[in-house]
Amino acid sequence: RKEVEQDPGPFNVPEGATVAFNCTYSNSASQSFFWYRQDCRKEPKLLMSVYSSGNEDGRFTAQLNRASQYISLLIRDSKLSDSATYLCAVNMAGYALNFGKGTSLLVTP
Amino acid sequence: EAQVTQNPRYLITVTGKKLTVTCSQNMNHEYMSWYRQDPGLGLRQIYYSMNVEVTDKGDVPEGYKVSRKEKRNFPLILESPSPNQTSLYFCASSSYAPSGAPSTDTQYFGPGTRLTVL
């Protein structure tokens, strides 16, 4: 069951670059969408929720496209500290989060 | 401080020796779950619990048991561990809207337990 799919990468980008990740989901009844960040061997931590109208938090912008069933994450002005794996997560209300396998980002000097 | 704790953080054991990984949360969350994470396979849910005494299988429940006797605790039990259960395990908890209304709830993860079964 591949309900949530992400390009595993790795995405290697120079500092200051803009990078975008997409995540597709198969269940049209999905209601909640999130991006998590996971550093090597650490627990996933919520980066941001994704709202229908799109939302921005500093250098990070999340978008939801229900018609095409994907969410996206845009990182502007990449920092070395942005290097991590980014997991998208999708759920139907009251049920478990389904996670993508993650997209690996490496920001280089 | 709101947190999910897991113990032990690291464990090396041998095939067949029963073990328990504890998970505890202090946020009064109804929902708790266990995941395992393996290279190339991502996070896969093992078991989850919607509330006390309510547990159900996730995607990969074989070889695991859980219990939810108290709201704050959700231990993961491996009755007879095998090498294919070598993995990184995460416990998570969240609250959710029982009505099923769209939720902005998020799952809070524990720090992980790295288990090696020889």
Side-chain angles (χ1 to χ4, degrees), chain B:
Chain B
E1 180 191 353
Q3 60 181 358
V4 179
T5 57
Q6 294 179 227
N7 280 293
R9 296 287 313 281
Y10 303 90
L11 179 61
I12 301 173
T13 189
V14 295
T15 299
K17 187 177 181 181
K18 180 180 179 180
L19 67 92
T20 299
V21 184
T22 64
C23 173
S24 182
Q25 49 94 5
N26 63 0
M27 295 168 278
N28 202 37
H29 283 163
E30 295 87 0
Y31 185 95
M32 297 185 74
S33 61
W34 275 102
Y35 294 86
R36 62 177 288 173
Q37 189 174 36
D38 303 286
L41 298 176
L43 280 164
R44 294 180 293 168
Q45 191 181 54
I46 303 170
Y47 267 94
Y48 64 94
S49 170
M50 304 282 264
N51 215 322
V52 176
E53 301 292 359
V54 181
T55 63
D56 211 342
K57 297 177 180 178
D59 295 323
V60 288
E62 295 76 22
Y64 304 95
K65 291 172 65 175
V66 293
S67 69
R68 188 90 181 274
K69 294 182 169 54
E70 307 163 280
K71 200 171 188 179
R72 64 182 293 128
N73 296 322
F74 189 44
L76 179 69
I77 303 155
L78 285 71
E79 294 271 3
S80 182
S82 61
N84 65 12
Q85 292 177 299
T86 293
S87 188
L88 178 58
Y89 291 86
F90 290 106
C91 179
S93 76
S94 69
S95 59
Y96 64 94
S99 65
S103 167
T104 58
D105 293 334
T106 64
Q107 291 203 26
Y108 294 84
F109 283 84
T113 295
R114 185 163 293 279
L115 173 66
T116 301
V117 183
L118 302 174

Side-chain angles (χ1 to χ4, degrees), chain A residues 1 31-32 34 36 38 41-46 49 51 87 93-101, chain B residues 31 35 37 40-43 45 50 59 90 96 100-107 109-111 114:
Chain A
R1 181 183 78 179
Q31 296 192 21
S32 301
F34 308 94
Y36 279 76
Q38 185 176 25
R41 301 184 181 211
K42 298 282 185 69
E43 72 272 26
K45 292 187 177 177
L46 180 69
S49 302
Y51 303 119
L87 305 170
Y95 291 88
L97 278 175
N98 286 317
F99 284 88
K101 293 181 182 178
Chain B
Y31 185 95
Y35 294 86
Q37 189 174 36
L41 298 176
L43 280 164
Q45 191 181 54
M50 304 282 264
D59 295 323
F90 290 106
Y96 64 94
S103 167
T104 58
D105 293 334
T106 64
Q107 291 203 26
F109 283 84
R114 185 163 293 279

Side-chain angles (χ1 to χ4, degrees), chain A residues 15-65:
Chain A
E15 259 186 301
T18 295
V19 60
F21 310 133
N22 279 347
C23 168
T24 59
Y25 60 95
S26 60
N27 191 330
S28 60
S30 300
Q31 296 192 21
S32 301
F33 308 89
F34 308 94
W35 282 103
Y36 279 76
R37 171 193 169 125
Q38 185 176 25
D39 294 293
C40 187
R41 301 184 181 211
K42 298 282 185 69
E43 72 272 26
K45 292 187 177 177
L46 180 69
L47 180 64
M48 57 199 304
S49 302
V50 187
Y51 303 119
S52 296
S53 55
N55 48 301
E56 188 174 306
D57 182 2
R59 296 182 294 108
F60 299 84
T61 301
Q63 298 274 357
L64 167 63
N65 186 318

